[in-house]
Amino acid sequence: MLWDYEKDTCETYCTITESGFGLYNLGAIKYITRSPDGTRLVFGSNGYGDGMKILSLDDLSEIPLEREQSRGYANLVFNGNGKYIYGSSAEVNCVWDAATGKMIYSSDAYDEIAVGYDGKTMIVTSPGYLGAADLDSGEMIWEIRSDSSMAVAVSLSPDGKYISADGGISGIYDTLTGSQLSESVGVAFSHDGSLMLVNPAQGTPSLD
């Protein structure tokens, strides 16, 4: 069910059996994420991939996600325009077409990936490394390297213009060029991308 925190009401969309999860261990379903337009849910799994599906909240239709055998993907996320889903499993990062459930990218070359708003750019990280690649060709658009052995965690602004990085490489970066816009580390972007939650110890970022 979904809870409307403004109205303080809950709406039940489906039960476990109605949504096809009747034979599945509910405790293994992780990271239920809603699409940006609010019409779909994607269910991740930390088990063997059972229950990994896209559920339409309009008609309760389901699209299973293509997966490698005996591999579950827990942290599934829609990209900004809702056309792609990305996630990882045991150091393998994947991207799916959200309309068909087809896996269109799979690689163990990076620690983490994130698909940009337009679905054309993929942000990739490894310890001391941050880069952007073309999702279709895999060719690198820009790369930033440091001497740090720390992992790099990233979050993208909803409009896809900015990257917030922390760890081996830190700061706010331009998605298209990789230019550093601020040394301050943003924690999270607001839904419309106009605000950013920051750690006061890191100072106040400026994107001018």
Side-chain angles (χ1 to χ4, degrees):
M1 61 179 59
L2 295 178
W3 176 52
D4 187 321
Y5 64 88
E6 292 182 346
K7 299 179 181 178
D8 195 22
T9 59
C10 288
E11 181 172 356
T12 300
Y13 279 92
C14 58
T15 65
I16 294 300
T17 53
E18 287 174 345
S19 64
F21 297 112
L23 300 178
Y24 182 63
N25 179 6
L26 181 59
I29 298 177
K30 301 293 183 181
Y31 295 94
I32 301 176
T33 307
R34 198 173 187 180
S35 62
D37 62 4
T39 63
R40 294 164 295 166
L41 299 176
V42 61
F43 294 81
S45 165
N46 65 357
Y48 294 99
D50 298 318
M52 288 175 49
K53 299 179 181 180
I54 305 167
L55 175 68
S56 169
L57 296 180
D58 293 328
D59 58 8
L60 301 185
S61 60
E62 300 174 0
I63 300 175
L65 291 183
E66 181 182 355
R67 62 183 175 86
E68 298 176 18
Q69 188 66 25
S70 299
R71 187 181 291 277
Y73 301 81
N75 54 332
L76 299 180
V77 182
F78 284 94
N79 78 316
N81 65 13
K83 293 184 178 180
Y84 297 94
I85 294 169
Y86 58 92
S88 62
S89 172
E91 300 180 353
V92 176
N93 296 290
C94 299
V95 180
W96 292 266
D97 184 315
T100 64
K102 180 178 177 59
M103 184 182 294
I104 61 174
Y105 174 87
S106 178
S107 173
D108 61 358
Y110 308 104
D111 280 5
E112 182 181 351
I113 65 171
V115 179
Y117 178 88
D118 60 5
K120 298 179 181 180
T121 305
M122 179 173 59
I123 307 304
V124 298
T125 75
S126 291
Y129 177 83
L130 173 65
D134 182 278
L135 181 58
D136 292 331
S137 67
E139 295 183 1
M140 298 306 302
I141 301 172
W142 54 261
E143 298 175 292
I144 301 173
R145 300 178 187 274
S146 74
D147 295 330
S148 174
S149 60
M150 293 178 60
V152 179
V154 297
S155 61
L156 305 182
S157 63
D159 59 10
K161 293 182 179 180
Y162 307 119
I163 304 166
S164 172
D166 190 15
I169 294 175
S170 299
I172 310 299
Y173 296 85
D174 184 287
T175 302
L176 293 178
T177 66
S179 300
Q180 187 179 55
L181 305 176
S182 173
E183 294 182 355
S184 301
V185 178
V187 178
F189 293 94
S190 64
H191 181 69
D192 61 3
S194 63
L195 300 174
M196 182 186 300
L197 178 66
V198 299
N199 183 341
Q202 299 287 349
T204 303
S206 172
L207 301 182
D208 296 333

